[in-house]
Amino acid sequence: MELKKQIKIVSIMSLLLFFNSCAVLDKYSFDASVIDLSIFEKEGIFVTTGDISKSYKSVSIIMVDCYQGFIPKSDVKSGKGRSQNADYDNVYGGSNTSFDKISDYDFKSCEINDLFEEIIYQAKGTDANGIIKLEIRNISKGSIDGKSSVPGIQVIGLAINIED
């Protein structure tokens, strides 16, 4: 009887050791990113993540959100963009869509330059010549199935007119 008890204890210890050794550990990682802001200068818009010492008038706060998802292939080919794909929030059918098959759509992720182009477009629409306090944020929203979230990016800034 004693031998069976010892075998049982050794078996249990072995299982505990096995399951304990299967633990998943986060690995150390190091990453660096560079975000090119030269698109603003090319478009004649001053930009900074902080404030400026020059005199300026605030025009508006501009916020641009992008969520990855599916876009009709016809829009990808025609180059539609700049807030025009808002009609495609519901891929499964809406006023301007008819969902036939997934092959009619391409997956599009958010690219920071697309958001920069949009915030520049919006700033120029308000006659602003600068954007200060520029922030880039990771955001998310609930998915259509309600079980997961859809990742996105938000760019927000204060549109200003710099007084010379």
Side-chain angles (χ1 to χ4, degrees):
M1 186 75 146
E2 189 67 33
L3 182 60
K4 284 185 178 183
K5 193 174 183 180
Q6 287 178 348
I7 291 174
K8 200 176 211 181
I9 292 174
V10 170
S11 297
I12 292 172
M13 295 296 280
S14 297
L15 283 173
L16 286 173
L17 182 62
F18 172 75
F19 286 119
N20 197 23
S21 66
C22 291
V24 177
L25 301 175
D26 290 331
K27 293 183 179 180
Y28 172 81
S29 65
F30 187 86
D31 193 16
S33 298
V34 175
I35 298 175
D36 184 7
L37 298 176
S38 65
I39 187 173
F40 291 91
E41 185 179 338
K42 290 175 187 169
E43 293 292 328
I45 300 286
F46 171 83
V47 67
T48 182
T49 58
D51 209 341
I52 60 172
S53 58
K54 295 180 180 180
S55 180
Y56 64 86
K57 290 184 181 176
S58 299
V59 178
S60 62
I61 295 173
I62 302 174
M63 183 173 24
V64 179
D65 295 348
C66 175
Y67 296 95
Q68 69 181 22
F70 290 91
I71 184 169
K73 286 185 177 180
S74 59
D75 285 0
V76 174
K77 291 177 185 171
S78 69
K80 272 189 184 178
R82 210 183 300 306
S83 301
Q84 294 179 8
N85 62 354
D87 293 333
Y88 302 108
D89 280 346
N90 184 354
V91 172
Y92 298 103
S95 59
N96 296 330
T97 67
S98 62
F99 185 77
D100 292 325
K101 52 188 174 256
I102 195 73
S103 61
D104 292 339
Y105 293 82
D106 279 334
F107 183 80
K108 182 159 175 49
S109 59
C110 299
E111 297 185 24
I112 195 68
N113 280 343
D114 292 342
L115 279 87
F116 285 171
E117 287 175 11
E118 183 65 22
I119 201 167
I120 290 168
Y121 175 80
Q122 297 295 329
K124 285 184 173 184
T126 62
D127 292 326
N129 61 4
I131 299 174
I132 61 172
K133 301 181 182 177
L134 182 75
E135 293 182 31
I136 303 167
R137 302 174 180 165
N138 289 318
I139 56 175
S140 64
K141 69 176 184 175
S143 66
I144 292 173
D145 67 9
K147 297 177 184 176
S148 58
S149 63
V150 179
I153 302 173
Q154 180 181 75
V155 174
I156 187 169
L158 177 63
I160 62 169
N161 275 322
I162 301 171
E163 299 171 350
D164 294 325

